[in-house]
Amino acid sequence: MKLALKCTRLNYIARPPNPTTAMRTRLLLAWVAFLLLGCLHTSSTHDLPSSKHTDQQYAFGQAAEPPQLQADGSSSSGSGGGGGSAPWHATPPVWPELFKAVLFQNRTGRLALTTLYYDWKRGANLNIIASQLNKAGAVWDLEWNNGTSFVFSRDQPACKVLHFDVGILTPDWLANSTHLGQMETDTFVCDAWTKADFINYYADVDTARPVRWTFLGSSAEFHVLEWSEGQALPRKLWQAPSYCFGNTSSAPTELDGEPLASGRMFRLRAAHEVQAAARAKHQQQRQQQRQWQQEKQKQ
């Protein structure tokens, strides 16, 4: 009897599984795998950006290139409509505290080559004005921040000493100027600025280096041929010659030329603007202080 039961168990264990049951198991596993793959595909679709989103981001990246400026200094882009970021505004360039510039000067047919040295920390500015073909020699215009200017010639012992209420231009002398937009001049794309109805100033849009400036009253044009930041004038050349401090020197006509007068007039106007801006700022601060005190008293 025991032997018969044992054989029956062995036969049951060795019997192959029912084909119907095995098929159902396979179908069930396949269905579960299908559901799992469907869930993973849905999740990846939500996590990864679509090609449409990618194209939109690329198009936005294209539009994010530097916009073309309008005449009022605001940016113009193809996005249109409101709700975007604030428009970009150009900032007036600031001169470096130390540089050398070579300028081609044209004043209604009177040509000259001017070498400009600017040293703000020293408080001095020097223009060496060489006439065309050396017809009138070279005029040295040495300006100091204390208002004293020496206009002299090194070809002859001639010098004239001038005194002004203002010193040399400050590095930020273009502050509060009006932006005229972008335009091409001397083959450069420039930001154009105007100030005090007296001067137009053109600066390269990529480097902010000046390309040209024009005095509006006299139509004197200065085209920048060379601009070297950090280049200093030898110390001994900042000293005016000894005959500038005597009483026997005379000033030839070329020393009183209009280009020098234009520069000094602009310095005077710029100084007046700085003083007016300082007074306005002081009045604004006093008004804000009074308002603050009134609000404090109400509390």
Side-chain angles (χ1 to χ4, degrees), residues 16 22 27 54 60 84 99 127 139 212 229 237 248 256 259 264:
L27 290 174
T54 304
F60 181 79
F99 70 85
N127 292 279
V139 176
R212 174 170 74 92
E229 296 186 17
L237 294 180
T248 58
D256 297 322
R264 289 176 187 9

Side-chain angles (χ1 to χ4, degrees), residues 118-175:
Y118 180 85
D119 193 333
W120 174 250
K121 291 184 177 180
R122 184 182 293 273
N125 182 85
L126 173 64
N127 292 279
I128 305 174
I129 307 170
S131 59
Q132 186 178 12
L133 295 177
N134 201 32
K135 180 179 180 180
V139 176
W140 290 54
D141 178 21
L142 178 58
E143 306 170 351
W144 291 93
N145 224 2
N146 61 4
T148 303
S149 293
F150 298 93
V151 184
F152 57 90
S153 171
R154 292 193 180 273
D155 300 326
Q156 53 180 317
C159 180
K160 188 171 184 178
V161 182
L162 306 174
H163 298 279
F164 294 89
D165 295 333
V166 295
I168 66 175
L169 291 176
T170 60
D172 61 346
W173 62 273
L174 277 171

